[in-house]
Amino acid sequence: MSNVLIGSTCSTSNSFNPLKNKDLQAMARFSHELKVPLSTISLIAELLDESQESNECKGLITHLKSSVNWLKTMVEDIETWTSIVDRRLVLKLEPVSIVECVHEAIQILEPISNQKHKRILLLAPDELSPAWADKVRIKHVLINLLSNAINYSLDGDQIEVEVLERDGFVETRVRDHGPGMDSSELDKVFESFFRGSVGRESYSKGQGLGLSIVKAIVEMHGGVVGVQSSRGVGTTFWFRIPLALDKNPKSCSRLFASI
């Protein structure tokens, strides 16, 4: 089965389902309220980690920290999604090293990737021009794509992240060797709340927000996002954002995706 390539631009984005203001406010309050118990649990995990005395305790702490990181990602996704839909998301644009963002995203996800015995391999040239980007938001994009790759592949699989320059853009590709997707799913994969086939759902549970957030953030950078996948072969998500050549930093630039 040949790979199918999907790409889109900001002007044609249909990633987000409309919600009423009261729904957005309720989701925002929900994510905010979750932060307090999450912070407490995270602190307890760190304290336990410092005082662990047995291998059994160490294993339980590792699972606890992985669960906390997963919950933090879910909360961040909800907050980001509501801010995009409500047109409140602010980008802070400046020259950014995408390779550095990849390293930081890998470090954040290290407890999960180690637990599942998955190696993340970074492929990039020694010299790479910076992208014109919001570092925090691009790191969020990478965390979502890497989380998908980790969740939708078998324990022990390798995940490759490739970064390169292409026609005035920095292109990043995240490749897994999981179950892949049918061609019928590829045109829906970036829609909010979309969940894939039973085959993919058996690997992981989620909200179905991560990829719609990825798409919106990339498009707000003036970039493009896409996916290649074949059933039984694996999936590659890619995105391109402009290079930072001859551009001046904008400390607070409000940009909106078309929803």
Side-chain angles (χ1 to χ4, degrees):
M1 182 184 298
S2 61
N3 286 348
V4 178
L5 186 65
I6 300 293
S8 57
T9 61
C10 182
S11 61
T12 59
S13 175
N14 293 310
S15 300
F16 294 94
N17 299 325
L19 282 183
K20 297 179 181 178
N21 286 337
K22 64 178 182 180
D23 297 321
L24 293 173
Q25 292 170 4
M27 292 183 72
R29 285 196 302 270
F30 174 69
S31 61
H32 179 74
E33 290 171 2
L34 276 176
K35 282 185 171 181
V36 176
L38 267 177
S39 297
T40 302
I41 294 170
S42 182
L43 176 59
I44 293 171
E46 292 299 328
L47 292 174
L48 287 172
D49 196 19
E50 293 174 3
S51 61
Q52 58 186 289
E53 297 180 355
S54 67
N55 289 334
E56 182 180 5
C57 181
K58 183 176 180 179
L60 292 172
I61 292 169
T62 299
H63 284 293
L64 175 60
K65 293 174 75 172
S66 295
S67 297
V68 169
N69 287 335
W70 175 58
L71 287 169
K72 284 181 177 178
T73 299
M74 290 178 63
V75 171
E76 186 175 356
D77 277 352
I78 293 172
E79 289 187 325
T80 302
W81 186 83
T82 54
S83 67
I84 292 171
V85 175
D86 205 26
R87 298 179 179 269
R88 292 180 290 104
L89 188 65
V90 175
L91 297 183
K92 297 181 179 179
L93 300 175
E94 60 184 348
V96 170
S97 167
I98 298 301
V99 170
E100 184 178 317
C101 289
V102 172
H103 279 300
E104 293 180 11
I106 290 173
Q107 185 176 21
I108 290 170
L109 294 171
E110 191 173 22
I112 299 174
S113 60
N114 286 346
Q115 180 184 351
K116 297 187 176 183
H117 309 291
K118 296 183 182 180
R119 179 190 179 202
I120 302 176
L121 178 64
L122 173 60
L123 305 170
D126 293 333
E127 294 186 7
L128 191 68
S129 300
W132 189 238
D134 182 317
K135 183 176 182 179
V136 173
R137 299 303 178 183
I138 291 301
K139 193 159 62 175
H140 190 173
V141 166
L142 288 163
I143 288 172
N144 273 328
L145 293 180
L146 284 168
S147 294
N148 269 7
I150 291 171
N151 290 332
Y152 294 133
S153 54
L154 296 173
D155 285 7
D157 279 359
Q158 177 173 281
I159 296 160
E160 295 94 30
V161 183
E162 184 178 9
V163 185
L164 63 150
E165 288 186 33
R166 189 189 297 269
D167 301 326
F169 290 80
V170 179
E171 180 173 311
T172 306
R173 306 177 71 85
V174 178
R175 182 183 305 109
D176 69 56
H177 302 279
M181 291 180 283
D182 293 326
S183 58
S184 60
E185 296 179 304
L186 293 178
D187 59 346
K188 301 177 182 178
V189 72
F190 292 106
E191 294 179 4
S192 54
F193 302 110
F194 174 75
R195 295 293 298 150
S197 66
V198 174
R200 282 177 61 84
E201 286 189 8
S202 65
Y203 283 74
S204 176
K205 300 295 182 182
Q207 305 167 96
L209 289 178
L211 292 176
S212 61
I213 290 170
V214 165
K215 184 174 186 289
I217 290 176
V218 170
E219 290 177 348
M220 290 170 72
H221 280 79
V224 62
V225 63
V227 58
Q228 295 169 280
S229 189
S230 293
R231 175 66 71 180
V233 175
T235 301
T236 299
F237 283 98
W238 58 266
F239 68 92
R240 300 173 192 149
I241 54 176
L243 294 172
L245 303 176
D246 303 323
K247 293 187 177 182
N248 297 318
K250 299 177 182 178
S251 59
C252 186
S253 179
R254 187 181 297 272
L255 303 173
F256 299 120
S258 173
I259 57 173

